[in-house]
Amino acid sequence: MATQILLKNIDVPGLAEIQVYRKLGGYTAVEKALKTLSPDEVTDEVKKSGLKGRGGAGFPTGMKWSFIDKQSQKAKYLVCNYDESEPGTFKDRHIGQLNPHQLIEGMILGSYALGANTAYIYIRGELFYVLRIIEKAIAEAYKNGFLGENILGSGYSLDLYCHPGAGAYICGEETALLESLEGKRGNPRIKPPFPAIVGLYGSPTVVNNVETIATLPWIVNNGGEAYSAIGIGNSKGTKLISACGHINKPGIYEIELGLPVEEFIYSDEYCGGIRNGNKLKAVVAGGSSVPILPANLILKTAAGEPRLMSYESLSEGGFQTGTMLGSGGFIVMDHTACIVKNLLTFARFYRHESCGQCSPCREGTSWMEKILMRIEGGQGTMKDIDLLVDIAKHVEGNTICPLGDAAAWPVASAIRHFREEFEEHVKLQKCPF
Ligand SMILES: Cc1cc2nc3c(=O)[nH]c(=O)nc-3n(C[C@H](O)[C@H](O)[C@H](O)COP(=O)(O)O)c2cc1C
Ligand code: SF4
């Protein structure tokens, strides 16, 4: 059985209540940190752990924290990114709903390390029921002396607020999130400056994903080295994977990084194989924003090595033959799936969610959707396929935020690996599925 850091106690009845969480060892990391470790020592443990941000980009968490200017006279903020809206990604929802105190404990540890006395959990608007659970847990934490003035007599104080978004995917992009938290329209900011320098209300800010933050209590309790002993290469620790699509056991799994993809898809411990014994056709491994891979390239790299669930192995071969671990949204398609139709669904999503600030994204996403509608509807031409590739190329890398790339990569990769399926749509003048 793989190490469980995030899901270990998830089925314990009443885990969302502070007494139950405490009985299972909850808040001991806060006690340890506030009584025996300095803020820099907490940061050092996180650096040693090798933890990478679980929101998608995989940036090393300890390094991100070290960009905060501790000497700055301005307030510092920790903001938890709970916007989780990427198609195929539904891992964070679980943590707040069933184990909110682990997230709150992580928020206290991260805030202490950064010197923040105010912290926010920015939660996706549709998850209002989770917000209520978190707010109840926050109230319990205040009552038990883990939040508020002079926590556990340490002299350290922290106020924690949970703030709902209004249901826009773009507000998951960290600078759009900060704009939204400030009460403005959630348009991404041009970077640099990065939030660590100019973040919330112009102050030094760290934005971290829910899973990243909920991992901190384990790291503080067990030490960074113990965490870095789990995993493979530079992919340390465990990772939540939300698996969906044509598998026998869709759900949320906590894996040790380095697990072979084949084992993840076919073993009974995880996805349990493809439904009805069907043939695996393709996988989108890290949420809708990453390149799609056909069965042969998701199970083995182009060099014939077994593909592993790790940052390095999934990206092996670059975008020609590889993909990304991303947010851990693992979408499996069997041989009955139409790649064009799936791509159209993604394209529609990105067109709808583009904030419209930059023209390559605003125009490109709607143009790609229109062409895909044409091809799927049987009115496409061979030229349309090349046009799609061309548009994707012009969107990628030419936008303010990575939503443009996220819209372009699935298109470019689907045509790279499944071009004959697009051509078949054109030749038959209908969808062959
Ligand atoms: C369009 C878009 C949506 C995003 N949505 C999320 C999200 O819902 N949750 C999240 O943690 N990160 C999301 N990110 C990534 C964040 O910008 C940021 O990198 C992340 O919150 C940093 O946390 P981490 O270092 O712990 O991964 C999104 C990025 C983009 C471009
Ligand atoms: S890439 Fe798209 S979502 Fe991002 S800022 Fe530009 S228009 Fe907005």
Side-chain angles (χ1 to χ4, degrees), residues 122-154:
Y122 181 97
I123 188 162
R124 173 182 178 177
E126 290 92 333
L127 297 182
F128 213 79
Y129 64 101
V130 181
L131 174 133
R132 294 238 186 275
I133 295 167
I134 294 174
E135 282 193 331
K136 185 167 170 275
I138 288 176
E140 286 179 334
Y142 269 103
K143 219 167 147 195
N144 285 267
F146 293 110
L147 284 171
E149 290 285 318
N150 191 19
I151 298 170
L152 306 177
S154 65

Side-chain angles (χ1 to χ4, degrees), residues 8 30 78 210 254 412:
K8 185 171 172 226
V30 165
L78 174 63
V210 174
E254 182 167 10

Side-chain angles (χ1 to χ4, degrees), residues 60-77:
T61 306
M63 194 193 291
K64 190 191 261 192
W65 290 7
S66 64
F67 297 148
I68 292 280
D69 177 7
K70 295 269 182 63
Q71 308 314 319
S72 165
Q73 295 305 303
K74 290 181 176 173
K76 286 118 200 135
Y77 296 104

